[in-house]
Amino acid sequence: MLKYFRVKAVGGHMGAGNGAELIFYIKAKDAIAAMTKVRNMPAVKHNKNNAISSVSQISEEEYKRGRENNYSAYDTYGNRGVK
């Protein structure tokens, strides 16, 4: 059964040592799977140990609210449809 997570990550392409906090709403079987999905997304600093700053399990309602409000960072990059 899939669970819902809010994952905060550091976005790249802003110069050495610089990044922006990105928030992703993800469906995954567990927190490790959610972190792995986010780490492999475009714009996330893949090779940095601190690429993922936090992962928290959320309710289905909060997940839907975040996705509907286009708050997920992945939506910001025009990649809709990722669940």
Side-chain angles (χ1 to χ4, degrees):
M1 180 176 191
L2 293 178
K3 299 174 185 172
Y4 303 94
F5 296 92
R6 179 178 48 238
V7 181
K8 292 182 183 178
V10 177
H13 310 295
M14 299 180 76
N18 296 318
E21 182 178 82
L22 304 173
I23 298 174
F24 296 88
Y25 289 89
I26 301 292
K27 282 188 205 178
K29 65 177 184 168
D30 57 31
I32 300 295
M35 288 189 318
T36 301
K37 280 185 177 183
V38 170
R39 186 178 280 278
N40 291 313
M41 288 183 176
V44 173
K45 292 197 175 211
H46 309 292
N47 300 323
K48 299 290 182 184
N49 290 335
N50 62 347
I52 306 298
S53 56
S54 72
V55 178
S56 54
Q57 189 171 343
I58 58 174
S59 67
E60 182 177 4
E61 292 77 27
E62 188 174 354
Y63 170 83
K64 287 180 180 177
R65 192 169 43 246
R67 298 289 295 179
E68 287 171 1
N69 292 331
N70 293 328
Y71 195 70
S72 181
Y74 205 62
D75 290 340
T76 303
Y77 287 94
N79 298 301
R80 296 183 188 278
V82 175
K83 306 282 183 211

